[in-house]
Amino acid sequence: MTTSRRQRRPVVVLYERIADAIHRGVWPPGSTLPSEPRLAAELGVSRPALREALLLLQEDGLLSVRRGVGRTVNDAPPRRGYEQLQPLEQLLGSGTPLRVRPVARAEEEPTDFSTQHLHAPAGTELRFWESVLVAEGVAAALSQEWAAPDGVLEAAHPAFARALREPAAPEGSMLAVLAAASREMALTAHSGVTATLLGQRRGDELGRAADTPAVLVTQVVRAGDVPVMAAKHMLPTGSPALPVLQSN
């Protein structure tokens, strides 16, 4: 679960500033960060806040401490933790994204779920994508994703609206399209996790028995205060591990 930037603790915002600088090459892999006093002065922050952010970066695998050298940037630092909202195929992929196999790319009337979370009026048609995520040839998860009504997207996130209208069928998930269209816009999200059974239809899609235990992850993504996408992800027993981060 993520929270909006204006609600985040200052140390989390500082974490993101440093992580973004690392990924932009300000401090490339193998380079050494400036000393704490110098870095704190350059960033205009207190040393205690900086030290806490640096410890978080070490825990998330972006930095290492080398005796006699200082803090260095790791090779191929992971894009995890506080810094971005990630599509499920990347979160489950452990470095190699899962393949997304489209099942449906359509427009449909809102379901109870999409009506509740996207505030879609009755009779409105929403873009609906259903996909199977495949790991090493085996179906690992089933994703259902809905975009907000076109009028809402045009007002709240026009780049996402344009990306969804592209004629070429994207290979990734709807969230991957949303993330790619959001370079200049911060996204926030809320997720829920519950235990359930696959059921007959989802079991057929995943090649599993209907009574297979599964984890259901629900997700609502916002641009500003406006919900622009909602999703359900079904992960049956045996799926790759789903990393979970809780932040203030």
Side-chain angles (χ1 to χ4, degrees):
M1 178 176 67
T2 62
T3 53
S4 68
R5 180 177 292 272
R6 59 180 176 272
Q7 294 174 325
R8 289 175 177 174
R9 294 170 55 212
V11 68
V12 177
V13 177
L14 179 55
Y15 172 110
E16 291 178 331
R17 288 177 61 191
I18 300 172
D20 182 63
I22 289 172
H23 290 299
R24 286 188 289 108
V26 175
W27 297 301
S31 65
T32 302
L33 265 61
S35 65
E36 280 189 18
R38 179 180 169 188
L39 187 57
E42 290 179 358
L43 297 174
V45 299
S46 68
R47 288 185 64 183
L50 174 63
R51 190 171 297 115
E52 185 176 355
L54 292 173
L55 287 173
L56 289 172
L57 289 160
Q58 288 172 221
E59 291 174 2
D60 281 359
L62 280 80
L63 299 177
S64 294
V65 177
R66 296 171 58 189
R67 181 173 298 179
V69 176
R71 290 184 174 88
T72 59
V73 178
N74 290 336
D75 293 333
R79 299 189 67 90
R80 288 286 171 91
Y82 294 112
E83 56 180 307
Q84 69 171 10
L85 183 66
Q86 288 186 295
L88 189 66
E89 61 264 33
Q90 295 179 19
L91 280 175
L92 296 179
S94 299
T96 303
L98 274 62
R99 182 170 65 86
V100 178
R101 188 180 76 209
V103 175
R105 298 288 187 267
E107 294 187 6
E108 64 167 31
E109 292 186 1
T111 63
D112 290 343
F113 174 78
S114 57
T115 296
Q116 174 187 353
H117 293 292
L118 297 177
H119 312 306
T124 302
E125 288 195 337
L126 304 180
R127 295 179 190 274
F128 168 68
W129 291 11
E130 185 171 53
S131 309
V132 172
L133 276 59
V134 180
E136 298 180 352
V138 178
L142 178 69
S143 287
Q144 296 176 318
E145 301 169 297
W146 294 264
D150 286 348
V152 173
L153 294 185
E154 288 292 352
H157 199 330
F160 181 37
R162 288 194 300 270
L164 289 176
R165 289 196 300 267
E166 290 293 328
E171 297 181 355
S173 63
M174 184 181 288
L175 181 54
V177 173
L178 174 56
S182 303
R183 303 300 186 191
E184 304 300 325
M185 180 176 294
L187 301 176
T188 61
H190 177 82
S191 299
V193 181
T194 57
T196 185
L197 300 177
L198 278 184
Q200 189 63 53
R201 193 186 73 79
R202 289 165 172 159
D204 290 344
E205 293 284 5
L206 292 170
R208 308 287 187 89
D211 60 354
T212 300
V215 170
L216 174 64
V217 179
T218 59
Q219 187 175 48
V220 180
V221 184
R222 293 175 174 80
D225 295 327
V226 180
V228 294
M229 200 201 88
K232 289 183 179 180
H233 309 294
M234 186 70 76
L235 287 72
T237 300
S239 294
L242 175 67
V244 176
L245 171 74
Q246 293 179 327
S247 63
N248 294 327

